[in-house]
């Protein structure tokens, strides 16, 4: 687990990881993702990565299962964050994906933020995890592609994709509100669809 308490502004432009170990030895299972908690006044990032991913399953004849995703929570002051966003809106990759492979996928972990003022943003690629973001009722993007990660939006959140939506390989998307796709929707997945 990683626990960070920062009195003022916290900036991450590198990476913070608490990933589970991959299964590399026959019958053992992969490790689950860990926990990352950040508490600060203002969160800042220009190209950061915060991940608590589950480990991948093994390839032996009696391999164990993949690891479940971990937990990421970023707490900040909403008013201070809104002011900071006007100058430099954070750009950060958050990933709490599960390990995957065949039918032995783990369950995605959770991603919590105080509000939706900068995340998920307008990125065309989201990394895995269950969004647990206060007041996240809608999200829109130009296009969305997922080939390795499962993203789960909260109950009642409407997702709009202006152009194409493509899920392939082990990618997946779960929308518990309305889903609107303006272009082509392509589903070619092994273990998880929508």
């Amino acid at each position: 687990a990683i626990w960070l308490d920062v009195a003022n502004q916290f900036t991450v432009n590198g990476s913070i990881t608490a990933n589970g170990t991959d299964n590399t030895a026959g019958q053992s299972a992969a490790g689950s993702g860990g926990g990352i908690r950040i508490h600060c006044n203002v969160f800042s990032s220009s190209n950061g990565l915060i991940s608590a991913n589950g480990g991948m399953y093994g390839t032996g004849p009696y391999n164990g299962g993949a690891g479940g995703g971990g937990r990421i929570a970023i707490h900040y002051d909403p008013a201070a964050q809104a002011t900071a966003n006007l100058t430099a809106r954070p750009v950060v990759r958050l990933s709490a994906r599960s390990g995957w492979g065949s039918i032995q996928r783990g369950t995605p972990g959770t991603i919590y933020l105080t509000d939706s003022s900068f995340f998920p943003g307008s990125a065309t690629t989201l990394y895995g995890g269950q969004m647990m973001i206060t007041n996240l009722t809608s999200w829109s993007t130009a296009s969305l592609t997922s080939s390795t990660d499962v993203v789960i939006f909260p109950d009642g959140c409407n997702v709009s994709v202006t152009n194409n939506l493509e899920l392939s390989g082990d990618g997946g998307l779960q929308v518990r509100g309305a889903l609107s796709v303006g272009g082509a929707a392509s589903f070619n997945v092994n273990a998880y669809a929508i």
Side-chain angles (χ1 to χ4, degrees):
I2 298 172
W3 185 298
L4 298 168
D5 280 310
V6 179
N8 295 309
Q9 178 170 306
F10 176 74
T11 301
V12 54
N13 292 325
S15 59
I16 299 173
T17 61
N19 298 328
T21 303
D22 292 342
N23 171 7
T24 58
Q27 298 177 16
S28 66
S32 66
I36 299 173
R37 180 188 183 274
I38 298 169
H39 191 277
C40 58
N41 188 46
V42 171
F43 178 83
S44 173
S45 176
S46 62
N47 188 28
L49 168 65
I50 300 174
S51 67
N53 297 329
M56 307 299 277
Y57 88 120
T59 57
Y62 304 105
N63 57 77
R71 305 285 183 259
I72 297 173
I74 304 175
H75 301 265
Y76 45 81
D77 179 80
Q81 187 69 52
T83 300
N85 290 349
L86 298 174
T87 302
R89 183 174 170 143
V91 177
V92 62
R93 294 166 291 162
L94 303 178
S95 179
R97 66 156 176 77
S98 61
W100 70 85
S102 184
I103 60 171
Q104 297 170 319
R105 174 187 290 278
T107 302
T110 58
I111 297 172
Y112 170 86
L113 282 83
T114 302
D115 60 21
S116 58
S117 64
F118 65 83
F119 186 85
S122 59
T124 58
T125 299
L126 288 178
Y127 302 87
Q130 302 180 58
M131 305 285 188
M132 310 287 287
I133 302 172
T134 306
N135 297 324
L136 180 61
T137 57
S138 65
W139 181 69
S140 61
T141 185
S143 61
L144 182 60
T145 301
S146 179
S147 61
T148 59
D149 301 314
V150 175
V151 178
I152 301 175
F153 283 88
D155 291 344
C157 181
N158 300 323
V159 175
S160 175
V161 181
T162 305
N163 298 311
N164 297 338
L165 168 66
E166 181 180 353
L167 303 179
S168 62
D170 288 297
L173 177 66
Q174 189 175 108
V175 177
R176 297 169 176 168
L179 172 64
S180 170
V181 180
S186 172
F187 306 99
N188 181 19
V189 296
N190 295 326
Y192 198 103
I194 188 169

